[in-house]
Amino acid sequence: MTQPGRPLFRRSPHGGWSPVQLSPVILTVVIAALAYNTPRRMAFSRLLPAAPALAAAMWPVLPTVLLGTVCLFLMIGLSIVFPGLGTWWTAGGIVAVTVAAAYGSHVRLQRERTLFQVRLVADAAQTVVLGAMPRRFGGIEIDSLYVAAAAEARIGGDFYEAADTPYGVRLLIGDVRGKGLPAVGAAAAVVNSFREAAHDEPDLGGVARRLEASSNRYSAAFPPEDLVERFTTALLVEIPRERDSVRVLNCGHPPPLLLSRGNLRTLHPSAPSPLLNLAELIGDQYTVDAFALTPGDQLLLYTDGVTEARDLDGAFFPLEDWMRRQNTAHPRELLDSLHHDLLGYSDGGLNDDIAALAVRVG
């Protein structure tokens, strides 16, 4: 996409111009060479309108018009060398295609500018919903991964946050059911509520009730018939100052993984807690489970986009087996490896947003 202050043609990593960007020029040279060096009856010159048509897909308006002009003069020059080529018909085709290509280039650039503005808005929304990472709180290192399933997307309904509070380091990760702006709005409501409640509430159950209240207030803006379809899974984690244990409150979210001295443990809840937006239907009884921690332990929090990634045969990504094979000590390296292996496993065809938090206890 052409942006202000950037060169017209993008250079390749090795220095010169990108072959893709220069392909219209290369095509023009090849057609002219074939027209000059082959018998007149083959009439390769009639292919010259293809060059400005190709340029419209990647060049701005002025270079496209200039290339069309070059093709026109090439056609006139060839007609002098080889009379009877049907010059005026081909020249008319070059002019018509160049005009159409210039208009197509203009429309494409307008759409790219619009997409660029949309991306700016999405990036701004991302900074609001997803906290900046990495972070280090004392001896606890935290890093994050976010991958949108849609190629042009920046953010969806997955979310995470981390906060250093008087009660220890508290983490949140979750997934809003649905897509688009309503899901982003619901995620923002939950994350913003967590940023306040994590510092105020002495226990995770109180934090969960605050998240439930914020989620309900956001959902109240939608028609009642949509409420059944609007719920959010969430996972709350607390690592106290002593760093000798981890407390987990799971509201219908995939359980975190704890890798401790080569042994992997899945931190399943002892009793289910209600998903956000469903506490009024099934009760607001929240269960907090505690698990032992030792220095060097690694904790992985993730959304279901990770475990539901499929290979070409439809098999799910074996996250627990994958985690057992990891020996890196740094959260960033762990998440980079997860991203790489997910893309390889699914052949780049991720069907859902992915969010993950990696935590290392020092």
Side-chain angles (χ1 to χ4, degrees), residues 18 24 41 44 65 78 93 133 141 145 155 158 161 176 180 212 231 233 242 263 326 330 340:
S18 165
R41 65 179 181 274
F44 277 102
V65 173
L78 288 169
M133 296 288 176
E141 298 177 62
L145 170 68
I155 189 171
D158 290 8
E161 185 55 289
V176 178
E212 169 74 14
F231 58 84
T233 68
E242 299 78 15
N263 297 317
Q326 304 310 305
H330 300 287
H340 177 272

Side-chain angles (χ1 to χ4, degrees), residues 122 125-131 146 154-162 172-196 210-212 214-219 222 230-234 236 253 276-277 303 353 355:
Q126 185 181 47
T127 60
V128 172
V129 178
L130 305 181
Y146 188 91
R154 288 292 192 272
I155 189 171
D158 290 8
F159 57 87
Y160 53 76
E161 185 55 289
L172 167 71
I173 191 168
D175 183 4
V176 178
R177 188 188 188 282
K179 302 289 183 182
L181 291 178
V184 175
V190 173
V191 171
N192 289 332
S193 177
F194 172 80
R195 288 168 179 159
E196 294 295 328
R210 293 272 293 273
L211 302 187
E212 169 74 14
S214 296
S215 183
N216 284 336
R217 283 194 295 268
Y218 176 82
S219 297
F222 296 91
R230 296 187 181 277
F231 58 84
T232 302
T233 68
L236 291 167
H253 198 77
L276 303 186
N277 268 29
T303 59
D353 298 335

Side-chain angles (χ1 to χ4, degrees), residues 29-45 78 81-82:
V29 173
V30 170
I31 293 173
L34 289 173
Y36 184 79
N37 292 287
T38 56
R40 184 179 64 181
R41 65 179 181 274
M42 300 186 71
F44 277 102
S45 59
L78 288 169
V81 179
F82 303 106

